[in-house]
Amino acid sequence: MSARFATHVAYEPPAYALRVLEVLERAGHEAWIVGGWVRDALRGAPCHDVDVTTSALWQDGARILREAGIVVHETGTAHGTITAVVDGRPVEVTTYRVEGTYSDHRHPDEVHFVRSVQEDLARRDFTINAMAYHPKRGLLDPFGGCEDLAAGVVRAVGDPRKRFAEDALRVLRAVRFACRMGFSIEADTHKALVEMAPLLGDIAQERIGQEVSGILESGRMGWALMHEPEVIGAAIPEVTDMQGFDQLSSWHVFDVMEHTAHVCNAVEAFTAGVASLRLRWAAFLHDIGKPATLSIDENGRGHFYGHPILGAIMAERIMKRLAIPGELTRGAVALVRYHDHIIRPTERSMRRVLAILDEECTGEAMTLAHELMDLKRADAVSKQIKCAWYAVELDEMDRILRSEGSKGATVRVKDLAIGGRDVIEELGIDPGPMVGMALSQLLQAVIDGEVENTREALITELWRTAQQTE
Ligand code: ATP
Ligand code: MG
């Protein structure tokens, strides 16, 4: 009977990887392609970088590959890994191995090299990642990875509790793979995830940061928050407070966590799934300041005064802790800080926003402003139905933004048609803080639409204000 699911790769391995297999096997060893490449070739996804697993001890592998003229870097020899470079393409080559005990939920206490590929596959995390492929011998799939791939399921190899206890990072990897491929998590594996998620406390923050970034990059953080809140909460403890947090407000039909999940999803919908990473981070963390800022008025209604400011502080702290790059953090934090900022569909209001955002992220005000519109739109449609009208107003704001963009909106002092030297010469004053203040005032007047950004108009305005202050 033929299988009801694909057991054939959609394309053959690239020539540079075949060369590595051939050189190792000609010397009498066995070698297979494993992991991500096999998974992605079976599901017809774009070609993944190639990892090879081999019976050759790394020292022998390195020697044989070098003798064949291949450059080899000793990248992880403690774990039996070397990197061969063929035609400029790196291939990771790892000796068949199993891992000893794990006493810290992170690193195996020791690794043992073994003789059989089956044993090597058994130490891998998920069935879909525990398959090996060889162009002549075909597919090796001892744990039903193909079937799980076809069913769209992430399932641990072996006893999930044991596997997550060995290496707690697998908890987050499970969610990342589910998000990346739009898969669900098999019931027993899911139960173990919930149970073992607290072990993430033993994992280095930057490794957690990488996995959380991977989840955000998939555009499915909304799904992760709804289906695996314990995992995301264990990765970022501040998130836990959002779960089940009633907003006590007629503006909201969801608790903070559900609302956040909806915003993450809506951001994807409004950007056709290509939201920038900073917008995704911002959607994820925009209301992180809410639980700590709740106040209840005499009518029992909840308010969250200052939550964007506290949210920005918390988002910055979280992203820094997770070693997210500074530039990405700056943009995301700016979006969190201004997500509730009142903006009107007028040129003046939009120019003010651009000026504020330019101060946060110089040179990126226009892109950031469009992202702010997307965040606000996603926020509006994820509250009460009566808030949805605001999304229409945001369309008008987007239109104004585009028109300001094409006009080259004036948002900072250096966009002005005159500079410091002009101020000094016109007013006959000495260089100093007065010059900067005069220019800032002119900028404000231009942003507010009171003065045109031309040399004549600015100089006239300069004289007018100078006379007023005399
Ligand atoms: P991608 O690189 O696209 O995220 P991948 O499957 O290549 O996916 P890697 O992290 O590069 O994942 O690891 C390569 C392979 O090594 C995996 O497919 C899996 O078989 C194994 N592996 C990686 N990390 C672990 C882990 N923490 N526990 C068990 N096996 C792992
Ligand atoms: Mg990989």
Side-chain angles (χ1 to χ4, degrees), residues 272-308:
V274 293
S276 69
L277 194 51
R278 72 178 169 201
L279 177 54
R280 286 170 171 162
W281 270 103
F284 171 41
L285 297 178
H286 78 286
D287 272 352
I288 196 79
K290 268 197 169 172
T293 49
L294 172 71
S295 62
I296 302 172
D297 67 19
E298 63 278 13
N299 301 314
R301 280 194 290 262
H303 300 279
F304 301 93
Y305 302 116
H307 82 271

Short mmCIF file of all heavy atoms in Angstrom, two decimals, residues 272-308:
data_model
loop_
_atom_site.label_atom_id
_atom_site.label_comp_id
_atom_site.label_asym_id
_atom_site.label_seq_id
_atom_site.Cartn_x
_atom_site.Cartn_y
_atom_site.Cartn_z
N ALA A 272 -0.66 42.28 4.83
CA ALA A 272 -0.61 41.09 3.97
C ALA A 272 0.51 40.14 4.40
O ALA A 272 1.17 39.51 3.58
CB ALA A 272 -0.44 41.50 2.50
N GLY A 273 0.74 40.06 5.72
CA GLY A 273 1.70 39.09 6.24
C GLY A 273 3.16 39.48 6.10
O GLY A 273 4.04 38.66 6.33
N VAL A 274 3.41 40.74 5.75
CA VAL A 274 4.82 41.14 5.64
C VAL A 274 5.16 42.29 6.60
O VAL A 274 5.97 43.15 6.29
CB VAL A 274 5.24 41.50 4.19
CG1 VAL A 274 5.20 40.28 3.31
CG2 VAL A 274 4.38 42.62 3.63
N ALA A 275 4.53 42.27 7.77
CA ALA A 275 4.83 43.30 8.77
C ALA A 275 6.32 43.25 9.11
O ALA A 275 6.92 42.18 9.12
CB ALA A 275 4.00 43.05 10.03
N SER A 276 6.87 44.43 9.41
CA SER A 276 8.29 44.46 9.79
C SER A 276 8.42 43.82 11.17
O SER A 276 7.46 43.76 11.94
CB SER A 276 8.78 45.90 9.84
OG SER A 276 8.17 46.56 10.93
N LEU A 277 9.63 43.38 11.48
CA LEU A 277 9.85 42.74 12.77
C LEU A 277 9.58 43.72 13.92
O LEU A 277 9.06 43.35 14.97
CB LEU A 277 11.28 42.19 12.83
CG LEU A 277 11.59 41.22 13.95
CD1 LEU A 277 10.57 40.10 14.04
CD2 LEU A 277 12.99 40.64 13.79
N ARG A 278 9.91 45.00 13.71
CA ARG A 278 9.68 45.95 14.82
C ARG A 278 8.19 46.18 15.03
O ARG A 278 7.74 46.37 16.15
CB ARG A 278 10.45 47.24 14.61
CG ARG A 278 9.91 48.14 13.54
CD ARG A 278 10.73 49.40 13.47
NE ARG A 278 10.38 50.14 12.27
CZ ARG A 278 11.16 51.03 11.72
NH1 ARG A 278 12.33 51.30 12.23
NH2 ARG A 278 10.76 51.67 10.63
N LEU A 279 7.40 46.15 13.95
CA LEU A 279 5.95 46.29 14.13
C LEU A 279 5.41 45.06 14.85
O LEU A 279 4.52 45.15 15.71
CB LEU A 279 5.28 46.47 12.76
CG LEU A 279 3.76 46.56 12.74
CD1 LEU A 279 3.24 47.65 13.68
CD2 LEU A 279 3.25 46.83 11.31
N ARG A 280 5.96 43.89 14.55
CA ARG A 280 5.51 42.67 15.23
C ARG A 280 5.86 42.70 16.72
O ARG A 280 5.04 42.34 17.55
CB ARG A 280 6.15 41.44 14.55
CG ARG A 280 5.49 41.18 13.21
CD ARG A 280 6.22 40.14 12.40
NE ARG A 280 5.43 39.79 11.22
CZ ARG A 280 5.90 39.19 10.16
NH1 ARG A 280 7.17 38.87 10.09
NH2 ARG A 280 5.10 38.91 9.15
N TRP A 281 7.07 43.14 17.01
CA TRP A 281 7.44 43.27 18.43
C TRP A 281 6.50 44.25 19.12
O TRP A 281 6.04 44.02 20.25
CB TRP A 281 8.89 43.77 18.58
CG TRP A 281 9.92 42.68 18.65
CD1 TRP A 281 10.76 42.29 17.64
CD2 TRP A 281 10.23 41.84 19.78
NE1 TRP A 281 11.57 41.26 18.07
CE2 TRP A 281 11.27 40.97 19.38
CE3 TRP A 281 9.74 41.75 21.07
CZ2 TRP A 281 11.83 40.02 20.24
CZ3 TRP A 281 10.30 40.79 21.93
CH2 TRP A 281 11.32 39.95 21.50
N ALA A 282 6.22 45.36 18.44
CA ALA A 282 5.37 46.40 19.04
C ALA A 282 3.95 45.87 19.26
O ALA A 282 3.36 46.10 20.32
CB ALA A 282 5.36 47.63 18.15
N ALA A 283 3.42 45.14 18.29
CA ALA A 283 2.07 44.59 18.44
C ALA A 283 2.05 43.66 19.66
O ALA A 283 1.13 43.69 20.48
CB ALA A 283 1.65 43.85 17.17
N PHE A 284 3.09 42.85 19.77
CA PHE A 284 3.19 41.87 20.85
C PHE A 284 3.25 42.57 22.23
O PHE A 284 2.62 42.15 23.19
CB PHE A 284 4.44 41.02 20.58
CG PHE A 284 4.86 40.09 21.68
CD1 PHE A 284 3.94 39.35 22.41
CD2 PHE A 284 6.21 39.91 21.96
CE1 PHE A 284 4.36 38.47 23.41
CE2 PHE A 284 6.63 39.04 22.95
CZ PHE A 284 5.70 38.32 23.68
N LEU A 285 4.02 43.66 22.31
CA LEU A 285 4.27 44.28 23.62
C LEU A 285 3.50 45.59 23.85
O LEU A 285 3.70 46.24 24.87
CB LEU A 285 5.78 44.53 23.79
CG LEU A 285 6.67 43.27 23.82
CD1 LEU A 285 8.14 43.67 23.94
CD2 LEU A 285 6.29 42.33 24.97
N HIS A 286 2.61 45.98 22.92
CA HIS A 286 2.04 47.33 23.02
C HIS A 286 1.28 47.56 24.33
O HIS A 286 1.29 48.67 24.85
CB HIS A 286 1.18 47.67 21.79
CG HIS A 286 -0.18 47.06 21.80
ND1 HIS A 286 -0.39 45.72 21.55
CD2 HIS A 286 -1.40 47.59 22.05
CE1 HIS A 286 -1.70 45.46 21.64
NE2 HIS A 286 -2.33 46.57 21.94
N ASP A 287 0.64 46.54 24.86
CA ASP A 287 -0.14 46.72 26.09
C ASP A 287 0.51 46.06 27.30
O ASP A 287 -0.16 45.83 28.31
CB ASP A 287 -1.56 46.15 25.89
CG ASP A 287 -2.52 47.19 25.31
OD1 ASP A 287 -2.11 48.38 25.22
OD2 ASP A 287 -3.65 46.84 24.96
N ILE A 288 1.79 45.79 27.24
CA ILE A 288 2.48 45.10 28.33
C ILE A 288 2.42 45.94 29.62
O ILE A 288 2.50 45.41 30.72
CB ILE A 288 3.96 44.78 27.93
CG1 ILE A 288 4.58 43.75 28.85
CG2 ILE A 288 4.82 46.01 27.85
CD1 ILE A 288 4.19 42.34 28.58
N GLY A 289 2.23 47.27 29.46
CA GLY A 289 2.16 48.14 30.63
C GLY A 289 0.78 48.19 31.26
O GLY A 289 0.58 48.86 32.28
N LYS A 290 -0.21 47.53 30.66
CA LYS A 290 -1.58 47.67 31.16
C LYS A 290 -1.81 47.08 32.56
O LYS A 290 -2.35 47.77 33.43
CB LYS A 290 -2.58 47.08 30.17
CG LYS A 290 -3.08 48.13 29.20
CD LYS A 290 -4.34 47.69 28.48
CE LYS A 290 -4.94 48.88 27.74
NZ LYS A 290 -6.05 48.47 26.89
N PRO A 291 -1.43 45.83 32.79
CA PRO A 291 -1.75 45.26 34.10
C PRO A 291 -1.27 46.14 35.27
O PRO A 291 -1.99 46.29 36.26
CB PRO A 291 -1.04 43.90 34.09
CG PRO A 291 -1.01 43.53 32.64
CD PRO A 291 -0.79 44.83 31.91
N ALA A 292 -0.11 46.76 35.13
CA ALA A 292 0.44 47.52 36.26
C ALA A 292 -0.15 48.92 36.37
O ALA A 292 0.09 49.62 37.35
CB ALA A 292 1.96 47.61 36.13
N THR A 293 -0.92 49.36 35.36
CA THR A 293 -1.42 50.74 35.43
C THR A 293 -2.94 50.81 35.64
O THR A 293 -3.52 51.88 35.57
CB THR A 293 -1.08 51.51 34.12
OG1 THR A 293 -1.47 50.72 33.00
CG2 THR A 293 0.39 51.84 34.01
N LEU A 294 -3.56 49.69 35.91
CA LEU A 294 -5.02 49.71 36.08
C LEU A 294 -5.45 50.59 37.25
O LEU A 294 -4.91 50.49 38.35
CB LEU A 294 -5.54 48.27 36.32
CG LEU A 294 -7.02 48.17 36.69
CD1 LEU A 294 -7.91 48.48 35.48
CD2 LEU A 294 -7.36 46.78 37.23
N SER A 295 -6.42 51.47 36.96
CA SER A 295 -7.11 52.14 38.07
C SER A 295 -8.60 51.99 37.80
O SER A 295 -9.02 51.90 36.64
CB SER A 295 -6.70 53.61 38.15
OG SER A 295 -7.08 54.27 36.95
N ILE A 296 -9.39 51.94 38.84
CA ILE A 296 -10.83 51.71 38.68
C ILE A 296 -11.58 52.93 39.18
O ILE A 296 -11.34 53.38 40.32
CB ILE A 296 -11.27 50.43 39.43
CG1 ILE A 296 -10.48 49.23 38.90
CG2 ILE A 296 -12.77 50.19 39.26
CD1 ILE A 296 -10.67 47.95 39.68
N ASP A 297 -12.44 53.53 38.32
CA ASP A 297 -13.15 54.74 38.76
C ASP A 297 -14.39 54.40 39.58
O ASP A 297 -14.69 53.22 39.80
CB ASP A 297 -13.47 55.64 37.55
CG ASP A 297 -14.48 55.00 36.60
OD1 ASP A 297 -15.20 54.06 37.03
OD2 ASP A 297 -14.55 55.44 35.44
N GLU A 298 -15.12 55.44 39.98
CA GLU A 298 -16.25 55.21 40.89
C GLU A 298 -17.36 54.39 40.24
O GLU A 298 -18.19 53.80 40.92
CB GLU A 298 -16.79 56.56 41.44
CG GLU A 298 -17.37 57.50 40.42
CD GLU A 298 -16.29 58.33 39.70
OE1 GLU A 298 -15.08 58.01 39.82
OE2 GLU A 298 -16.66 59.27 39.00
N ASN A 299 -17.35 54.33 38.89
CA ASN A 299 -18.37 53.52 38.22
C ASN A 299 -17.89 52.09 37.96
O ASN A 299 -18.53 51.34 37.24
CB ASN A 299 -18.76 54.16 36.89
CG ASN A 299 -19.30 55.56 37.11
OD1 ASN A 299 -20.13 55.77 38.00
ND2 ASN A 299 -18.80 56.52 36.34
N GLY A 300 -16.73 51.78 38.50
CA GLY A 300 -16.21 50.42 38.33
C GLY A 300 -15.52 50.20 36.99
O GLY A 300 -15.23 49.07 36.62
N ARG A 301 -15.28 51.29 36.27
CA ARG A 301 -14.63 51.14 34.96
C ARG A 301 -13.11 51.22 35.08
O ARG A 301 -12.58 52.02 35.87
CB ARG A 301 -15.12 52.22 34.00
CG ARG A 301 -16.48 51.88 33.39
CD ARG A 301 -16.77 52.77 32.19
NE ARG A 301 -17.01 54.14 32.62
CZ ARG A 301 -18.23 54.66 32.77
NH1 ARG A 301 -19.29 53.94 32.52
NH2 ARG A 301 -18.38 55.90 33.15
N GLY A 302 -12.46 50.39 34.27
CA GLY A 302 -11.00 50.34 34.32
C GLY A 302 -10.37 51.41 33.43
O GLY A 302 -10.87 51.71 32.35
N HIS A 303 -9.28 52.01 33.91
CA HIS A 303 -8.48 52.95 33.09
C HIS A 303 -7.03 52.55 33.20
O HIS A 303 -6.62 51.94 34.20
CB HIS A 303 -8.67 54.38 33.60
CG HIS A 303 -10.09 54.83 33.54
ND1 HIS A 303 -10.68 55.30 32.40
CD2 HIS A 303 -11.05 54.83 34.50
CE1 HIS A 303 -11.96 55.58 32.64
NE2 HIS A 303 -12.22 55.30 33.91
N PHE A 304 -6.28 52.92 32.18
CA PHE A 304 -4.87 52.51 32.14
C PHE A 304 -3.99 53.70 31.81
O PHE A 304 -3.23 53.69 30.86
CB PHE A 304 -4.68 51.40 31.09
CG PHE A 304 -5.52 50.18 31.36
CD1 PHE A 304 -6.77 50.04 30.79
CD2 PHE A 304 -5.06 49.19 32.21
CE1 PHE A 304 -7.56 48.93 31.05
CE2 PHE A 304 -5.83 48.07 32.48
CZ PHE A 304 -7.08 47.93 31.91
N TYR A 305 -4.15 54.76 32.63
CA TYR A 305 -3.40 55.98 32.34
C TYR A 305 -1.90 55.70 32.38
O TYR A 305 -1.42 55.05 33.29
CB TYR A 305 -3.76 57.08 33.36
CG TYR A 305 -5.24 57.40 33.35
CD1 TYR A 305 -6.03 57.16 34.48
CD2 TYR A 305 -5.85 57.91 32.20
CE1 TYR A 305 -7.39 57.43 34.46
CE2 TYR A 305 -7.21 58.17 32.17
CZ TYR A 305 -7.97 57.91 33.30
OH TYR A 305 -9.31 58.16 33.28
N GLY A 306 -1.24 56.22 31.37
CA GLY A 306 0.23 56.07 31.34
C GLY A 306 0.71 54.70 30.88
O GLY A 306 1.91 54.44 30.88
N HIS A 307 -0.22 53.83 30.44
CA HIS A 307 0.27 52.48 30.08
C HIS A 307 1.21 52.48 28.88
O HIS A 307 2.12 51.66 28.84
CB HIS A 307 -0.90 51.48 29.91
CG HIS A 307 -1.57 51.51 28.58
ND1 HIS A 307 -2.64 52.32 28.30
CD2 HIS A 307 -1.32 50.82 27.45
CE1 HIS A 307 -3.01 52.13 27.06
NE2 HIS A 307 -2.24 51.23 26.50
N PRO A 308 1.05 53.42 27.90
CA PRO A 308 2.04 53.38 26.79
C PRO A 308 3.45 53.76 27.26
O PRO A 308 4.43 53.22 26.75
CB PRO A 308 1.50 54.40 25.79
CG PRO A 308 0.05 54.56 26.14
CD PRO A 308 -0.03 54.39 27.62
#
